[in-house]
Amino acid sequence: MRLFYLLSLLCFSLATAQVNPTPVNEITQSLEQKATMEATSIVKNIPLKNIGPSVMSGRVVDVAVNPKNPTEFYVGYASGGVWHTKNNGTTFTPIMDNSGTQNVGDIAVHWESNTLWVGTGENNSSRSSYAGTGVLKTTDNGKTWKNMGLPDSHHIGRMLINPKNPDEVIVGVTGHLYSPNSERGIYKTVDGGDTWKKTLFISDEAGIIDVAHAPENFNILFAAVWEKDRKAWDFKGNGNASGIYKSVDSGTNWTKVSTEKSGFPTGEGVGRIGLAVFDENTIYAVHDNQFRRPSTLKEKKKSEGLTKDDFKNMSAKDFLNISDKKLNDFLKNNNFQEKYRSENVKQMVRSGAVQPVDLAKYLENANTALFDTPVIGAEVYRSNDGGETWTKQNEDYIDDLFYSYGYYFAQVNVDPSDVNKIYLAGVPIIKSNDAGKTYESIVGHNVHADHHALWVNPNMPGHLINGNDGGINISYDDGESWTKNNAPTVGQFYAINVDHEEPYNVYGGLQDNGVWKGPHNAPEHTRWHQTGKYPWEMIMGGDGMQVQVDNRNADVVYTGFQFGNYYRLNLSEESQKYIQPKHELGETPYRFNWQTPILLSPHNQDILYLGGNKLHRSMNQGDDWEAISDDLTQGGKAGNVAYGTLTSISESPLKFGLLYTGSDDGLVHVSKNAGGSWKIISNAFPKDLWVSRVAASKHKKERVYVTLNGYRWDDFTPYVYRSDDYGKTWKNIGEGIPTAAVNVILEDPENEDLLFVGTDNGLYASFDRGTTWEAFQKNMPNVAIHDLVVQPKAKHLLVGTHGRSIYKADISKLQLLTPEIMDKKLHAFSLENIKHSKNWGSAWSSWAEPSTPGLDIVFYSGKAGRFEATVLSSDNIAVSTVEVPADKGLNILSFDVAFSKTGKTNYLKKHKTELTEAKNGKTYLPKGDYKVILKGNGEKQELNFAID
């Protein structure tokens, strides 16, 4: 049973002491439940179309290359599935679309037997590293998949197949990301996955991040153990249990080799480790060393200027003796508000309003500890005796490789043809020709940062296939030049939006790939290589975040990157202005979420809201700000990740100043007087869960929706609630949704009963305000959905996925689907007229595809059955007849607007006219009025349309 669902039919009261991870059997059952829902959904025939973009790609976690034919390889995307190419990355085919997840940790291939294994659940530990469903296996290139077990692994670090025995497989399980669990360690099968034996277990907080074997001897294995502790407010990526283990019997038994006597670091500061084995004796390890650097800094020269640390222990007397120029330089260089200049700040210190330490505090927030931490960082060790002893290779610090977030990297590769040539993957990718002593960058202008996978050709030195946060790059000259191979639509969107232009544009912020804008109807093909302009364009860098577009002037866009760094853009003028609200000197710094919420008021497009830990409002497009609330969170927690922040803002379109906020620590507030006062309305909710969305109704001012997300507790319960009294009481409306954390709820702008919900594993629609739910998934795999928006004029639902870019669906018929219609045996929706073209069935060249018309006849059937559709001319000649099967629910009959053979004969008997056969062999209907007679379920309905 799901946690916390102690609800009556109308309302509930919940109180929790703590949140627990979702039981594995519930996750397994939910996949079966979802498959059943997809098969019986009344909207299963309504298609979703992927509209891209693709050029920026998404995060790669692994590549597996055919050693006998390196133009064939597989690519594993963190949350975008596995893709296959047989033409060196020119095109790719997704092969996991019919599996239960798109979340990938590692892939392994036994090429001789055509056996592909996928360890699901990303091996990185980022904010959006999604859990998997265990180990999958296919022997037919993804046509069918079989789950081979380890369902509670969540995240898999590495998989190895014995090259001489495809039934012998080693799996390194990293385990849960946010909670302890026992299904961590090394698992081994010798019967192709039918049974597993855990051969190495360290603790319920220490899993396996990497495993490697000697190229010519599968008995010799090395495993990297990683102890970590991730919370929503803190991430500790190191621990005493981290280290290196060795097996000499193909993973049956293990011995720790990173001992105190070995020369490899031990203790609390040991972080993530990556391994590369050249032979049985020579092994490389890259280590994210979290021990602090020794204090060797020389005294700063006076000419170097001031730093924030100078003020931490400074007396007021010493502060007042600083020269105005020196202090002003510091204030300007660190972006203090203009009112804070030397004369003003000194007066504040003289009066006791602030202390010198407040200047340091002004610049510090929860992220300071994450990005400004003086840890040792990346370092490389080598063993020449099979792991008994290790020698540090780099004499100097390897700076600007991991920075302070090495938990995201730690990959090392050794050239199979050169024992002294290694590659390190981090923010850049670097190589060494002297066994790790010195390095050079091999990043190209068309190569994205943040590297996670590299294949080095054993038969052709210098041939590299690299996977990073921006997709795949290939080099044949050892990194001097690269090609970019980004055909897959695997963008990881955080947020999307639309404008009201013709054609309308779609906007979206992506993980590590900035903010992009593009027309919704842009074709996703390679012609842009010839024209020189991709139809989508980047309008902001960094990790792209939320987007608001002025509905009076679509050139005015508000967007930005992580931690509240927002800008007002004028796209036509190619200008931008930084608009983040600033706290006052002496005030506690504002806290901004990774994805800081912003909102343009639907009542006045000059009014902009932005959420830190307080709600800020600007009346003049972000030029000036005022806080219209106190802290609307629980106050934050000590840690290195911003926490105690607002995550969602909503203003009722029916009443100005009716505002709602949601926070990352579980609080929902309402203000009915434009921020004059606030009331907490989340006391009945499960405690401490991330408020992923709060949405004021577009139809009733008293109505509001809230979704909570337990992902950061490894709790995947779908928490979805509705209130019809401003949040005084709540009704749980999430029980019919299969287990998966919920990211977004959207109320349709035309039909108040129609809701959409996006989860970490799919899309759902409700036609009764959440009482029941339908899977809405046609053409879209089981992928994380982060955002939803409706373009009202086009009646399109836009779906922002975190792994497969953006999908679009025509929901015009869903908006009309009322209870009265669903009680009928048959209901056909009215048809649009068609514009005639003499070019139907022809093309500009005999080598090109002909243009063809189409008419979609959409109808609702009260039960499954067969239907007959007859198209009649204005004088009742049957020009075409077709019989089709129909499912219960919405069905689409696509008519090609052409005569049938019999219909053409009957038409010509009565009409002494010439009908021209098109080049594709079809004869299309001439201009005129037509009607469709649809029969089925004992019912008949007539529809009219015209060809003008």
Side-chain angles (χ1 to χ4, degrees):
M1 297 293 293
R2 287 187 182 141
L3 302 175
F4 312 116
Y5 281 165
L6 309 175
L7 304 173
S8 66
L9 291 175
L10 295 177
C11 60
F12 70 98
S13 176
L14 292 169
T16 62
Q18 67 180 70
V19 183
N20 296 313
T22 300
V24 64
N25 63 316
E26 185 177 327
I27 297 172
T28 302
Q29 292 168 6
S30 75
L31 294 175
E32 298 173 358
Q33 177 190 359
K34 187 177 186 204
T36 300
M37 289 180 68
E38 289 179 9
T40 59
S41 172
I42 65 172
V43 292
K44 73 175 186 178
N45 295 316
I46 303 300
L48 293 119
K49 178 184 178 182
N50 194 295
I51 63 170
S54 64
V55 70
M56 77 293 295
S57 194
R59 184 162 68 249
V60 172
V61 293
D62 198 21
V63 294
V65 185
N66 186 340
K68 294 182 179 179
N69 175 19
T71 63
E72 179 185 14
F73 56 90
Y74 293 94
V75 181
Y77 292 87
S79 54
V82 175
W83 295 65
H84 180 220
T85 181
K86 299 183 74 174
N87 54 21
N88 205 32
T90 303
T91 59
F92 290 86
T93 302
I95 64 167
M96 271 184 68
D97 283 12
N98 60 353
S99 70
T101 183
Q102 293 296 298
N103 305 326
V104 178
D106 194 53
I107 54 180
V109 185
H110 189 265
W111 293 95
E112 288 76 10
S113 62
N114 194 35
T115 304
L116 169 64
W117 292 76
V118 177
T120 65
E122 186 182 356
N123 53 19
N124 293 309
S125 298
S126 73
R127 290 169 175 81
S128 55
S129 292
Y130 289 110
T133 59
V135 177
L136 304 181
K137 177 182 176 181
T138 180
T139 56
D140 55 14
N141 204 38
K143 292 185 178 68
T144 59
W145 291 92
K146 184 177 180 181
N147 192 308
M148 306 309 298
L150 310 182
D152 201 33
S153 56
H154 278 205
H155 299 270
I156 289 178
R158 190 71 72 196
M159 304 184 68
L160 300 179
I161 304 174
N162 187 339
K164 298 178 181 179
N165 179 9
D167 289 332
E168 184 176 2
V169 181
I170 299 290
V171 179
V173 176
T174 307
H176 290 191
L177 180 55
Y178 285 94
S179 59
N181 75 307
S182 59
E183 197 164 285
R184 301 182 193 263
I186 295 287
Y187 289 81
K188 179 178 178 178
T189 181
V190 293
D191 54 15
D194 291 337
T195 60
W196 295 92
K197 181 179 180 181
K198 185 190 289 188
T199 64
L200 177 63
F201 175 75
I202 306 300
S203 77
D204 60 5
E205 294 183 339
I208 307 299
I209 190 61
D210 204 0
V211 190
H213 71 88
E216 303 300 326
N217 186 354
F218 197 76
N219 287 316
I220 306 299
L221 296 169
F222 293 87
V225 174
W226 187 23
E227 180 178 351
K228 57 178 171 45
D229 182 19
R230 176 137 214 166
K231 297 290 188 290
W233 57 88
D234 192 34
F235 183 63
K236 180 185 176 185
N238 51 279
N240 282 312
S242 299
I244 302 173
Y245 286 72
K246 180 180 180 180
S247 174
V248 296
D249 54 10
S250 188
T252 301
N253 296 283
W254 296 87
T255 302
K256 188 174 184 179
V257 294
S258 59
T259 62
E260 291 184 4
K261 297 180 180 180
S262 70
F264 197 89
T266 59
E268 188 69 21
V270 178
R272 180 171 173 172
I273 299 167
L275 301 169
V277 182
F278 182 80
D279 57 29
E280 294 182 23
N281 295 313
T282 310
I283 307 98
Y284 286 94
V286 60
H287 173 220
D288 173 33
N289 192 325
Q290 292 296 294
F291 285 107
R292 302 286 166 165
R293 296 187 181 189
S295 180
T296 59
L297 296 176
K298 299 179 181 179
E299 290 188 8
K300 296 188 299 107
K301 298 179 181 178
K302 293 183 179 180
S303 60
E304 289 180 343
L306 296 165
T307 70
K308 66 180 176 64
D309 292 335
D310 292 328
F311 300 100
K312 290 184 175 179
N313 298 301
M314 185 180 290
S315 68
K317 180 179 178 181
D318 289 340
F319 180 85
L320 295 174
N321 287 329
I322 298 173
S323 72
D324 287 344
K325 182 182 186 307
K326 194 171 185 179
L327 182 55
N328 276 327
D329 286 344
F330 169 81
L331 296 169
K332 291 178 181 178
N333 292 337
N334 287 278
N335 296 314
F336 278 70
Q337 298 180 55
E338 287 189 12
K339 63 183 178 181
Y340 295 132
R341 291 298 176 253
S342 178
E343 182 178 349
N344 298 331
V345 175
K346 284 184 177 181
Q347 180 57 39
M348 295 173 75
V349 171
R350 286 190 193 97
S351 67
V354 300
Q355 301 297 320
V357 68
D358 289 321
L359 275 77
K361 291 179 179 178
Y362 187 91
L363 299 174
E364 293 183 340
N365 53 43
N367 304 308
T368 305
L370 180 63
F371 292 104
D372 298 332
T373 307
V375 297
I376 292 172
E379 55 184 6
V380 173
Y381 287 81
R382 172 170 159 168
S383 176
N384 295 315
D385 52 14
E388 289 188 24
T389 61
W390 298 84
T391 303
K392 185 176 177 179
Q393 299 300 101
N394 54 294
E395 295 180 1
D396 298 325
Y397 293 122
I398 308 177
D399 286 329
D400 301 330
L401 179 68
F402 290 174
Y403 293 91
S404 58
Y405 45 106
Y407 62 84
Y408 197 51
F409 303 111
Q411 302 280 344
V412 60
N413 291 79
V414 59
D415 189 330
S417 62
D418 185 347
V419 68
N420 293 316
K421 189 173 187 179
I422 64 170
Y423 303 83
L424 298 184
V427 176
I429 184 169
I430 60 178
K431 72 177 178 182
S432 172
N433 293 311
D434 54 13
K437 294 179 176 59
T438 61
Y439 296 89
E440 64 176 305
S441 172
I442 56 172
V443 170
H445 293 296
N446 60 343
V447 180
H448 196 282
D450 293 3
H451 301 267
H452 305 288
L454 183 70
W455 177 78
V456 184
N457 193 330
N459 303 312
M460 183 188 295
H463 178 201
L464 311 173
I465 300 179
N466 167 234
N468 51 63
D469 271 13
I472 288 291
N473 291 90
I474 300 175
S475 176
Y476 287 94
D477 51 17
D478 209 24
E480 289 189 26
S481 58
W482 298 86
T483 59
K484 196 170 184 68
N485 302 82
N486 281 3
T489 49
V490 288
Q492 296 177 299
F493 280 90
Y494 286 119
I496 60 171
N497 212 335
V498 295
D499 62 24
H500 302 281
E501 301 297 290
E502 294 284 354
Y504 72 86
N505 296 291
V506 184
Y507 303 74
L510 296 115
Q511 188 275 329
D512 207 29
N513 277 284
V515 181
W516 289 70
K517 168 191 175 183
H520 76 95
N521 56 353
E524 185 64 36
H525 55 52
T526 57
R527 179 164 175 75
W528 71 274
H529 293 176
Q530 179 68 19
T531 63
K533 183 173 177 60
Y534 189 67
W536 291 73
E537 62 174 336
M538 180 187 284
I539 60 175
M540 177 63 66
D543 284 84
M545 294 298 154
Q546 296 189 10
V547 183
Q548 293 287 291
V549 186
D550 193 318
N551 60 27
R552 304 163 302 184
N553 178 4
D555 283 330
V556 178
V557 177
Y558 301 85
T559 190
F561 53 89
Q562 58 266 49
F563 300 123
N565 289 287
Y566 277 92
Y567 296 79
R568 184 181 69 238
L569 311 181
N570 189 305
L571 300 181
S572 62
E573 297 176 359
E574 298 184 348
S575 64
Q576 62 182 36
K577 179 178 181 179
Y578 187 63
I579 58 169
Q580 185 187 70
K582 294 295 184 182
H583 62 284
E584 300 296 324
L585 187 59
E587 183 182 12
T588 301
Y590 297 142
R591 299 185 298 273
F592 297 102
N593 193 267
W594 174 261
Q595 186 185 156
T596 296
I598 57 171
L599 176 69
L600 276 172
S601 172
H603 304 280
N604 184 333
Q605 295 284 282
D606 285 337
I607 300 177
L608 179 67
Y609 301 100
L610 187 150
N613 53 311
K614 301 179 179 181
L615 182 63
H616 304 274
R617 182 180 64 199
S618 172
M619 305 296 285
N620 55 6
Q621 300 182 301
D623 285 340
D624 300 289
W625 293 96
E626 61 175 331
I628 59 171
S629 76
D630 293 328
D631 195 326
L632 296 175
T633 77
Q634 296 187 48
K637 290 189 177 184
N640 56 24
V641 179
Y643 188 72
T645 64
L646 296 183
T647 53
S648 185
I649 307 167
S650 185
E651 182 178 26
S652 170
L654 306 176
K655 180 184 177 183
F656 174 75
L658 176 53
L659 297 166
Y660 295 90
T661 65
S663 71
D664 57 12
D665 52 11
L667 300 188
V668 180
H669 284 84
V670 62
S671 174
K672 297 179 181 179
N673 55 6
S677 60
W678 292 88
K679 181 180 179 181
I680 189 168
I681 56 174
S682 52
N683 288 332
F685 291 160
K687 307 305 177 188
D688 301 325
L689 295 180
W690 194 284
V691 181
S692 55
R693 199 62 52 110
V694 55
S697 171
K698 304 175 180 69
H699 301 279
K700 297 285 178 62
K701 68 177 185 297
E702 302 87 357
R703 186 175 298 155
V704 60
Y705 296 90
V706 167
T707 60
L708 307 177
N709 186 308
Y711 159 80
R712 293 160 185 82
W713 300 91
D714 288 326
D715 175 9
F716 307 133
T717 307
Y719 298 104
V720 186
Y721 307 110
R722 188 189 78 228
S723 173
D724 293 301
D725 53 12
Y726 301 104
K728 291 179 182 178
T729 60
W730 294 92
K731 180 180 180 181
N732 165 41
I733 59 171
E735 284 190 294
I737 300 173
T739 298
V742 177
N743 299 307
V744 56
I745 186 169
L746 178 69
E747 181 189 54
D748 183 75
E750 294 195 9
N751 183 343
E752 68 174 319
D753 293 330
L754 178 57
L755 304 175
F756 301 98
V757 156
T759 76
D760 280 351
N761 204 38
L763 176 66
Y764 300 88
S766 173
F767 294 91
D768 50 19
R769 250 178 286 161
T771 301
T772 60
W773 293 92
E774 306 288 338
F776 190 10
Q777 207 78 30
K778 183 177 176 64
N779 300 334
M780 184 173 68
N782 295 318
V783 64
I785 293 165
H786 272 223
D787 207 5
L788 300 167
V789 64
V790 170
Q791 213 293 333
K793 185 175 181 180
K795 303 182 187 302
H796 288 166
L797 174 70
L798 286 303
V799 182
T801 77
H802 198 80
R804 294 299 288 268
S805 294
I806 299 174
Y807 286 80
K808 177 178 69 176
D810 182 344
I811 59 167
S812 57
K813 303 304 185 289
L814 278 68
Q815 292 176 328
L816 299 173
L817 203 57
T818 63
E820 293 75 21
I821 289 176
M822 289 187 282
D823 283 340
K824 294 181 179 181
K825 295 180 180 179
L826 169 65
H827 179 86
F829 296 92
S830 60
L831 301 176
E832 298 286 339
N833 293 337
I834 300 174
K835 188 72 176 177
H836 188 272
S837 173
K838 63 180 181 181
N839 295 321
W840 284 348
S842 62
W844 66 273
S845 165
S846 60
W847 305 106
E849 291 291 327
S851 63
T852 55
L855 178 69
D856 284 342
I857 304 167
V858 182
F859 63 96
Y860 180 87
S861 174
K863 64 178 182 179
R866 297 197 68 82
F867 282 75
E868 181 185 83
T870 301
V871 181
L872 302 173
S873 64
S874 58
D875 50 0
N876 290 321
I877 299 172
V879 296
S880 183
T881 301
V882 65
E883 189 175 281
V884 295
D887 297 303
K888 178 182 179 179
L890 291 170
N891 297 270
I892 302 176
L893 192 165
S894 294
F895 174 46
D896 62 2
V897 200
F899 286 97
S900 66
K901 185 175 182 181
T902 302
K904 180 178 178 181
T905 300
N906 293 336
Y907 188 85
L908 289 175
K909 285 180 180 178
K910 190 170 183 179
H911 294 270
K912 305 302 179 183
T913 185
E914 182 178 350
L915 295 175
T916 303
E917 184 176 284
K919 291 183 179 180
N920 65 352
K922 293 184 178 183
T923 301
Y924 289 100
L925 301 183
K927 292 181 179 181
D929 295 324
Y930 298 87
K931 65 181 174 181
V932 177
I933 299 178
L934 187 64
K935 296 179 181 179
N937 283 350
E939 300 288 324
K940 181 176 75 171
Q941 189 169 346
E942 292 186 6
L943 303 166
N944 297 308
F945 73 96
I947 301 177
D948 301 323

